[in-house]
Amino acid sequence: MRIELRHMAAAGLGLGGPVAWGVVSGRPAVGALAAVGALAVSGLFMGEVRPGLRRILVHGAAPVAGGLAGVLVAGHGWLTAVAVVLVAGLLAVAGGISRPMAEHSTRFIVFMVIGTGVAKGVEPVAAAVLFAEGAAWGLLVTALCLHARKAPAEPGEPRPAPPARALLRRWWRTLGSAPGWQYPIRLTTCLAAAEAAGLLWPQPTASWIAVTVVIVVRRRLDGAARRTAERAAGTAAGVVAGSAVLLWVPPSWLFVLLVAALAAVRPALKEHHHTLYATVMTPLVLLLMEGGARVAPATIGYRLADTAIGCVLALGLGYLPWVVRRERSIRAVVG
């Protein structure tokens, strides 16, 4: 997979633009909220030289819709928690239809959870408008930087996509067996526990528990322990780095540069460097969630505790019991 400067430029300009606008207008928190919308669509086309405009719009729809759903339901306590868990569970089930559906549903869930965190204390409609504006800017920058037009055809016959009816039949069969429900159960169990923990322990950064869970828990169990440990380590390192920056309170111009630089590096790390990716992604989300404002020293403690809780939930409920069960089943078959 080839990452070019144009991909990094699209991500950096996509997030740096709204933040710069917020700083210039004297409302950095507003610009940061719009940048979360741009974050939803940045880095979606790594390695693609010229993704078409239709492809950009289709792949950007799921995370944008998820973020909008999150900001609209945020701030209602248990109702928000129940809505997030139910929607995540339904989409996790639907994601079993095909690989593209799994990707779209995962993006929706991640940005729905992030949206509930960034929109707290903001009027829902205003937050949704800002998020949508940032997403529109991110899509525009992506289209311009990647010269969005139809990619040249690859040599050889294109591989036909399976018919929709065949995909649905196969998906329906998987729902008749335990493996078909494994990921939805893992995700909703972890997410429900995270939402409950955030509500039962009221503190300024409680939404970060759920954000950590959706960052760490993924659909595949192969290599799960290693990948989870890498994401957990990167997330913890990113929390320390991001919180230290917010304690220092960087000048406005440096805040813009930090967001743009972290966003630009993100596409190059996403697929193959889980620890570094989480180390970059975490402070980026933190900076946007706090809007560059100074945080109290206690916030670092809260954020680290929330990260630890989220990682423990992801490992203890979402991976280890399932990996142990699978290994026992394999041994029983072999033996």
Side-chain angles (χ1 to χ4, degrees):
M1 181 176 291
R2 182 175 61 181
I3 303 297
E4 297 183 351
L5 289 178
R6 69 181 71 191
H7 297 88
M8 301 178 70
L13 292 173
L15 272 70
V19 173
W21 167 74
V23 167
V24 170
S25 63
R27 298 178 295 176
V30 171
L33 180 53
V36 176
L39 177 66
V41 297
S42 69
L44 290 180
F45 307 100
M46 297 174 297
E48 297 187 29
V49 179
R50 301 186 192 282
L53 181 59
R54 180 177 178 275
R55 179 169 170 76
I56 289 175
L57 294 176
V58 168
H59 282 257
V64 171
L68 289 173
V71 299
L72 288 174
V73 303
H76 298 288
W78 285 103
L79 290 177
T80 298
V82 171
V84 167
V85 173
L86 286 177
V87 172
L90 291 173
L91 288 174
V93 173
I97 294 175
S98 65
R99 180 174 294 180
M101 190 66 181
E103 294 175 354
H104 293 320
S105 62
T106 299
R107 290 171 186 152
F108 186 105
I109 293 168
V110 168
F111 280 92
M112 176 179 63
V113 174
I114 291 176
T116 61
V118 299
K120 287 185 177 179
V122 182
E123 201 278 323
V125 175
V129 170
L130 285 169
F131 185 93
E133 290 176 345
W137 165 257
L139 288 171
L140 176 62
V141 170
T142 298
L144 292 175
C145 288
L146 301 187
H147 304 290
R149 60 178 180 264
K150 188 174 181 180
E154 294 292 333
E157 290 294 327
R159 185 177 181 181
R165 185 175 298 179
L167 288 174
L168 290 174
R169 282 200 301 265
R170 185 182 65 184
W171 172 65
W172 188 254
R173 286 196 301 269
T174 64
L175 295 182
S177 62
W181 293 94
Q182 186 183 93
Y183 175 67
I185 293 173
R186 289 167 50 223
L187 178 64
T188 54
T189 301
C190 294
L191 196 50
E195 293 286 355
L199 289 168
L200 294 174
W201 182 29
Q203 36 102 354
T205 64
S207 61
W208 190 252
I209 302 174
V211 173
T212 302
V213 162
V214 295
I215 288 175
V216 173
V217 176
R218 285 295 182 264
R219 185 173 290 272
R220 295 182 58 188
L221 278 176
D222 296 335
R226 177 182 57 81
R227 290 197 311 272
T228 305
E230 288 174 351
R231 290 194 186 99
T235 301
V239 164
V240 173
S243 299
V245 169
L246 291 172
L247 274 178
W248 168 45
V249 191
S252 297
W253 62 269
L254 186 54
F255 173 57
V256 175
L257 290 178
L258 281 172
V259 169
L262 290 171
V265 171
R266 175 175 167 255
L269 303 175
K270 187 173 183 180
E271 292 299 322
H272 303 293
H273 303 280
H274 298 125
T275 304
L276 289 177
Y277 175 71
T279 305
V280 168
M281 181 68 171
T282 303
L284 177 59
V285 174
L286 284 178
L287 288 171
L288 296 180
M289 290 180 75
E290 300 295 340
R294 183 171 186 173
V295 298
T299 301
I300 294 182
Y302 281 127
R303 195 78 74 179
L304 286 171
D306 292 337
T307 302
I309 293 171
C311 290
V312 167
L313 291 176
L315 284 168
L317 297 177
Y319 281 123
L320 295 180
W322 301 89
V323 172
V324 171
R325 180 181 177 184
R326 186 181 65 174
E327 290 179 350
R328 286 177 178 172
S329 299
I330 293 173
R331 284 198 298 267
V333 172
V334 174

